Amino acid sequence: MALSTAFWDSQALLTANRIGVFEKLAGTSMSAEALATEMRADPRALRLLLNACVGLELLTEEQGSYANASATAAFLVPGGPGYLGNAIRYSDNLYATWGQLERAVRDGQPQLPTSQYTGDSDALTRDFVYGMHDRALGIGRVLVELVDLSNCRKLLDVGGGPGTYSALFAQQHPQLHAQVLELPGVAAHARDILQAMDISERVSLLPGSFRDTEFPDGNDVVLISGVLHRELEPMCRELISRAAASMQAGGRLVISDVFTDAGGCSPPFAAMFGLNMLLTAEDGGVHADSDLVLWMQQAGFEVAAPLPFPPPMPHRVICGTLQG
Ligand SMILES: C[S@@+](CC[C@H](N)C(=O)[O-])C[C@H]1O[C@@H](n2cnc3c(N)ncnc32)[C@H](O)[C@@H]1O
């Protein structure tokens, strides 16, 4: 029963985020009536939503006055360094798509084509890119600690999205220059983000599809993060081979993603993530990290054991060094 109603919890969070409850409660507490007046909402209905949010530990309530819980203040109020509201809005955009899971399972097709949120719809694209940026600011700070690029001068970031990882690596290593190969619709938003991070001089954009854009050569390191879960084995192998061809022996390939263990059923989040990608990308799914290790080895890389990110981050990173 808990599983069958878990979407209630999701929708309460998504709605509160969408209508701006957490923003309105930033640094203050308010009654349901006062908040309803400000938000032009029905007071009785809003109180039910606020009470549900208290149950979810998103809000606190004292004598009829509601306030943000501390994690909400840290992650759901716009402007804070840990803000995840854009990422939550992107989940919100996928709520109806998840309702089409039966159709996806029957016909094997995504119910939200990639083109919709990588250029065709400006609103969806913006939420996708800024949602990735929000998440990457957290995950990327871990990645730059896990992967030492102090000997690298040239980084190619394939499907680099907002460019946040490249930017964080470049901030960490003053000698590093990065190129972000990304679809033009996404790259347009990435340009704004890189400018706001004041790193455009060392992180440049290469707008195009990795399907038909040649990789620049002379890379010391190629990063493929969050991309291979959108591709089937042949394209994964092709991207790995092209990464190898773009570097000298000793060059590095860093692949970061959500992976399952061998067999595909665990961890549970990774198996669910495969469904999310089925719903949202033409060749979407999830790979086992052991498959990636094998494909990298067969392309000539010596590969270290996959490193898990600290919980609750579901990602793992696989690093390889090209052999002579
Ligand atoms: C989940 S995002 C990962 C973004 C970023 N690397 C990260 O880890 O946050 C996958 C990215 O691959 C990009 N992408 C998908 N197909 C692509 C293609 N054919 N050429 C270039 N980029 C592509 C998408 O636009 C998206 O930004």
Side-chain angles (χ1 to χ4, degrees):
M1 283 308 297
L3 279 180
S4 74
T5 57
F7 68 92
W8 298 3
D9 299 16
S10 301
Q11 191 54 247
L13 166 66
L14 300 175
T15 300
N17 183 62
R18 189 184 330 116
I19 69 176
V21 168
F22 310 127
E23 185 174 7
K24 282 273 183 258
L25 289 177
T28 188
S29 64
M30 285 170 97
S31 68
E33 290 70 24
L35 203 52
T37 307
E38 283 225 5
M39 303 185 75
R40 294 205 213 127
D42 178 85
R44 191 183 77 87
L46 184 64
R47 180 188 299 282
L48 289 169
L49 175 63
L50 298 177
N51 288 345
C53 288
V54 173
L56 292 172
E57 299 182 9
L58 294 166
L59 299 179
T60 60
E61 184 271 340
E62 218 171 301
Q63 297 181 334
S65 200
Y66 296 86
N68 286 331
S70 58
T72 302
F75 298 113
L76 298 178
V77 173
Y83 184 56
L84 285 171
N86 291 304
I88 287 175
R89 203 166 10 258
Y90 181 62
S91 295
D92 196 355
N93 293 342
L94 299 189
Y95 191 83
T97 305
W98 267 84
Q100 304 298 323
L101 182 57
E102 177 185 344
R103 197 183 298 171
V105 168
R106 289 197 188 281
D107 66 16
Q109 297 301 314
Q111 302 303 302
L112 180 68
T114 302
S115 58
Q116 279 287 303
Y117 58 90
T118 55
D120 286 358
S121 156
D122 200 49
L124 288 180
T125 304
R126 193 202 166 282
D127 287 348
F128 176 56
V129 178
Y130 280 84
M132 285 191 287
H133 177 59
D134 281 0
R135 282 198 310 256
L137 281 174
I139 300 165
R141 286 187 187 113
V142 175
L143 187 65
V144 299
E145 296 300 328
L146 286 177
V147 179
D148 180 10
L149 298 188
S150 44
N151 293 327
C152 298
R153 306 188 71 81
K154 194 168 170 194
L155 162 70
L156 173 65
D157 188 354
V158 179
T164 318
Y165 290 111
S166 285
L168 293 174
F169 273 121
Q171 282 172 351
Q172 176 99 340
H173 302 291
Q175 83 290 353
L176 191 69
H177 286 72
Q179 285 180 295
V180 179
L181 173 54
E182 212 2 290
L183 296 171
V186 172
H189 291 284
R191 183 161 291 113
D192 296 340
I193 288 172
L194 293 171
Q195 264 166 16
M197 291 180 83
D198 200 17
I199 197 78
S200 306
E201 265 186 26
R202 285 192 294 122
V203 180
S204 58
L205 288 159
L206 203 56
S209 166
F210 54 61
R211 292 178 200 288
D212 50 27
T213 304
E214 243 180 75
F215 286 4
D217 58 11
N219 298 305
D220 298 310
V221 55
V222 174
L223 172 66
I224 307 181
S225 169
V227 169
L228 298 184
H229 59 245
R230 323 178 67 86
E231 303 297 339
L232 302 176
E233 177 178 340
M235 179 53 78
C236 294
R237 284 183 179 273
E238 184 186 320
L239 291 172
I240 292 168
S241 299
R242 287 168 58 196
S246 78
M247 58 179 66
Q248 306 279 334
R252 315 257 301 276
L253 174 59
V254 177
I255 297 186
S256 168
D257 216 318
V258 176
F259 295 111
T260 64
D261 302 321
C265 303
S266 62
F269 177 85
M272 293 298 276
F273 182 74
L275 282 183
N276 189 64
M277 294 319 302
L278 167 74
L279 284 161
T280 57
E282 283 64 21
D283 290 330
V286 63
H287 298 289
D289 56 3
S290 49
D291 286 338
L292 262 299
V293 169
L294 179 70
W295 302 340
M296 288 168 71
Q297 286 169 337
Q298 289 176 344
F301 290 93
E302 185 178 86
V303 185
L307 287 174
F309 282 55
M313 287 177 252
H315 300 71
R316 297 175 188 172
V317 61
I318 309 174
C319 297
T321 306
L322 189 63
Q323 300 303 286

